[in-house]
Amino acid sequence: MSERIRLTHVPLCGRVVDWKGQYGWIEPQCFVDHPETNKHQGHIFAHSEDLLPRWTKLTVGSLVEFHLYFDGQGLGAEECVARKVLRLTLPWEVAQSVFGENGENLPELEVRHQVSVRAYQWKLMDGSPGGLPFVLLEVWGRPQAIIRAVVEATGKDLHASASMLVPESRLWKLDVDELRHWCRGTQLQHEVALTDPMRCHALEITGTREEVGAALQALIAQAVIELVLAADFLQAFTVGQNYLKCFADSSRGVLGECKDKARNRT
């Protein structure tokens, strides 16, 4: 095997499309200008030895950061780190006010905070409104980057108010008292906010930007929301008569695949 040559100065972002024990494949989110990109459907090879921490595994559907290398046999990912994710909801009118009517301001937020954002609107199969008054946001990145992006998106003046969806099956992981230690305005709603495809409760965090940021950091550390990863969450939403329509999708393709699966089930 030839010596590795690193091709990137800053990490790339990609989505894990396959994982088989100790190795898998990543779909880059940006165009890679290299003669080898036409191999393996443009996917990048990744081995558990090149993950941080080493010898762990990646979950299909998750987003990762990595440096790109070439070793004479093909393109690979090294210093590969799985991104964290927070899922929150914004009222439709707030989302349009912050991100633009069609999400045209989302790319600026992503670049400014080095995050990847997927925003989804609930629709029925015939394209009619699904009746939910909010937009579902996934914010992927490193913890501090996620926190900055969420606080900006949900902030007004010196305060912020973030609303997350927590699957009922993951409530056992949630330590609300710890979150209240950082932000007293933390409330877990007992009423179910969403029933289909999975029962979810709303977790409200309201306070100063600093308080909300500290509580979000604690929430990420608890690993409550990220346990339901992107592929599982989106696949679940394609079951039955409902699916998610993309409001603005930086992942360029994930949602389209899910739509096709939903159509094939009908």
Side-chain angles (χ1 to χ4, degrees):
M1 181 182 297
S2 302
E3 182 181 353
R4 287 186 179 185
I5 301 173
R6 179 172 288 194
L7 304 177
T8 52
H9 297 290
V10 295
L12 304 180
C13 182
R15 180 174 62 93
V16 180
V17 294
D18 191 20
W19 194 259
K20 300 180 182 296
Q22 294 186 345
Y23 72 94
W25 299 91
I26 299 170
E27 179 182 66
Q29 286 196 310
C30 63
F31 173 71
V32 176
D33 186 11
H34 192 277
E36 296 288 322
T37 54
N38 60 344
K39 295 183 178 180
H40 308 294
Q41 299 178 313
H43 297 160
I44 307 300
F45 177 78
H47 193 277
S48 59
E49 188 176 11
D50 290 305
L51 305 184
L52 296 177
R54 296 177 65 187
W55 300 108
T56 52
K57 63 180 181 179
L58 297 175
T59 303
V60 173
S62 61
L63 296 186
V64 294
E65 292 181 4
F66 61 94
H67 279 284
L68 187 68
Y69 71 81
F70 177 67
D71 62 1
Q73 295 186 336
L75 297 174
E78 60 184 5
E79 293 186 14
C80 185
V81 180
R83 285 186 161 190
K84 301 292 185 179
V85 59
L86 278 183
R87 293 186 179 86
L88 62 150
T89 62
L90 281 180
W92 180 245
E93 64 275 9
V94 175
Q96 289 185 311
S97 174
V98 174
F99 301 125
E101 185 175 353
N102 297 302
E104 60 270 15
N105 297 331
L106 270 176
E108 295 179 10
L109 180 80
E110 292 179 308
V111 172
R112 188 159 56 249
H113 297 293
Q114 292 298 297
V115 296
S116 295
V117 179
R118 297 167 176 169
Y120 303 101
Q121 173 190 6
W122 182 266
K123 289 283 188 177
L124 300 180
M125 286 298 295
D126 61 3
S128 60
L132 293 181
F134 57 76
V135 178
L136 172 67
L137 294 178
E138 286 185 340
V139 184
W140 293 80
R142 303 208 174 193
Q144 290 303 317
I146 293 174
I147 292 167
R148 289 193 298 268
V150 170
V151 169
E152 178 180 327
T154 63
K156 184 177 181 181
D157 298 326
L158 299 178
H159 293 78
S161 181
S163 178
M164 265 71 61
L165 285 179
V166 181
E168 198 169 75
S169 61
R170 307 301 179 186
L171 291 179
W172 65 274
K173 288 282 292 183
L174 182 65
D175 187 344
V176 178
D177 289 337
E178 181 190 8
L179 302 184
R180 288 191 182 128
H181 170 76
W182 298 105
C183 182
R184 292 184 179 180
T186 299
Q187 295 291 333
L188 177 65
Q189 301 299 327
H190 296 292
E191 300 81 8
V192 175
L194 194 67
T195 58
D196 182 19
M198 64 184 73
R199 293 170 63 88
C200 294
H201 293 256
L203 176 67
E204 311 281 350
I205 302 177
T206 302
T208 67
R209 289 175 179 253
E210 291 76 15
E211 291 170 344
V212 171
L216 290 175
Q217 184 170 355
L219 179 63
I220 292 173
Q222 291 180 16
V224 173
I225 297 180
E226 70 179 73
L227 287 173
V228 181
L229 293 168
D232 303 320
F233 198 80
L234 291 181
Q235 184 176 5
F237 269 95
T238 65
V239 176
Q241 296 298 313
N242 298 321
Y243 77 114
L244 290 173
K245 180 180 180 182
C246 186
F247 170 59
D249 183 15
S250 310
S251 59
R252 308 191 197 287
V254 178
L255 187 62
E257 294 172 6
C258 289
K259 283 183 181 178
D260 290 341
K261 292 177 183 177
R263 292 192 185 102
N264 291 337
R265 291 191 181 101
T266 57

